[in-house]
Amino acid sequence: MKIYDNKHIKNIALLGAPKSGKTLLAEDMLFEAGITHRRGTIEGKNTVSDYHEIEQERGNSVFATPLHTEWKDYKINIIDTPGLDDFAGEMIASLRVADTCIMAINAQHGFEVGSELVWNYAEQFNKPVILAINQMDHPRADFESSLQSLQAHLGTKVTQMQYPLNQGTDFNEIVDLLKMVLYRFPTDGGKPEKLPIPASEKEKADRLHNELVDKAAENDEKLMEKYFEKGTLDEDELRQGLKEGMIHHDVFPVFVMSAKKIWAQGV
Ligand SMILES: Nc1nc2c(ncn2[C@@H]2O[C@H](COP(=O)(O)OP(=O)(O)OP(=O)(O)O)[C@@H](O)[C@H]2O)c(=O)[nH]1
Ligand SMILES: [Mg+2]
């Protein structure tokens, strides 16, 4: 493995209510990065992260497990934390060292009691938080009510980056509001096709894209000036504004995914 300086090492903590899908997401991340060559399952008791006997017996994480991968010029440490409050100490220790947090939200339940407990800890550390609405493939997945529950609890800083086109068991399409494309995933997961947004979705996607541009511009005076000059912002400018917003806890971006089918793009 290459030697990395501190600037090129990033710690990402996976947080969320019990059973929201953090361990399975970690499993996907390792697989997608080519670190592993098969994806384990919780039921199969063979995930990389829940390797301890007690975790396999219980079927949930008990310890915060650091996992490692490389991306571009960075070493990424992924820390999979337990969602149960009994093991909150493990999560708090991970929050201390995290550069960014990804908080998994179960699309069946939205922002649930377990999410709130985790959020209260995360807020104390003031780290950037990405919200990932997971389990979009579940028959009871409900994106709109999950998003609304996030907005009700966390307010207008909740920033929609994507929405699913076909939630539920057939889920394989995501409209991405930053890139303004439709991602269609193959049945077994993996790399998606990038397609134009269908005409029937154009109006909705344009409206939500404009809201995203407003949000990005709000966080940076120079960007705001550019926005007034040009009437819009390009992808890099959007990323810059959103990044500023995330650092200052003014933006909590929301992505959609299925850890079970590795349909996560852009998270
Ligand atoms: N349908 C569906 N099931 C999922 C998905 N992600 C996770 N699950 C299931 O949800 C259950 C919990 O998944 P985990 O990955 O262990 O969840 P966790 O957040 O790590 O749970 P704790 O360690 O207890 O906090 C398992 O049965 C998974 O198979 C998903 O995207 N879709
Ligand atoms: Mg877990």
Side-chain angles (χ1 to χ4, degrees), residues 195-258:
L195 301 165
I197 293 175
S200 56
E201 292 297 317
K202 198 79 179 72
E203 200 184 316
K204 177 177 176 185
D206 281 343
R207 176 174 52 79
L208 293 171
H209 176 75
N210 289 339
E211 285 180 20
L212 190 62
V213 176
D214 283 349
K215 263 291 177 43
E218 272 171 20
N219 294 300
D220 185 318
E221 261 180 43
K222 281 195 186 131
L223 279 185
M224 190 58 110
E225 281 169 23
K226 276 192 189 167
Y227 182 36
F228 284 136
E229 267 168 39
K230 299 193 294 181
T232 189
L233 295 176
D234 64 30
E235 194 183 318
D236 285 344
E237 291 163 343
L238 279 176
R239 282 183 193 283
Q240 189 191 326
L242 293 169
K243 188 174 160 192
E244 282 298 316
M246 282 177 67
I247 291 169
H248 297 107
H249 254 206
D250 288 323
V251 168
F252 302 122
V254 179
F255 293 85
V256 291
M257 55 176 274
S258 162

Side-chain angles (χ1 to χ4, degrees), residues 105-125:
I105 302 291
N106 187 334
Q108 300 172 64
H109 310 306
F111 195 84
E112 51 191 310
V113 176
S115 317
E116 192 156 6
L117 289 171
V118 170
W119 184 266
N120 291 342
Y121 291 118
E123 244 196 335
Q124 293 168 24
F125 289 86

Side-chain angles (χ1 to χ4, degrees), residues 33-45:
I35 303 289
T36 55
H37 298 289
R38 59 120 186 94
R39 287 192 304 143
T41 62
I42 306 301
E43 289 69 22
K45 303 181 190 297

Side-chain angles (χ1 to χ4, degrees), residues 103-197:
M103 182 159 169
I105 302 291
N106 187 334
Q108 300 172 64
H109 310 306
F111 195 84
E112 51 191 310
V113 176
S115 317
E116 192 156 6
L117 289 171
V118 170
W119 184 266
N120 291 342
Y121 291 118
E123 244 196 335
Q124 293 168 24
F125 289 86
N126 219 24
K127 303 285 169 81
V129 182
I130 292 170
L131 301 164
I133 302 186
N134 184 35
Q135 308 212 13
M136 289 310 315
D137 63 289
H138 197 281
R140 287 195 298 276
D142 188 338
F143 173 74
E144 281 304 328
S145 72
S146 296
L147 180 66
Q148 280 164 18
S149 71
L150 287 170
Q151 288 163 337
H153 284 89
L154 312 179
T156 53
K157 294 173 178 184
V158 170
T159 304
Q160 192 176 348
M161 304 294 293
Q162 302 181 326
Y163 67 91
L165 259 201
N166 54 348
Q167 66 184 6
T169 39
D170 294 332
F171 172 63
N172 73 337
E173 291 181 338
I174 295 173
V175 173
D176 189 285
L177 300 165
L178 179 81
K179 290 184 178 286
M180 286 302 273
V181 292
L182 171 74
Y183 288 120
R184 180 178 295 152
F185 289 79
T187 321
D188 301 326
K191 290 259 173 294
E193 277 180 271
K194 257 194 213 173
L195 301 165
I197 293 175

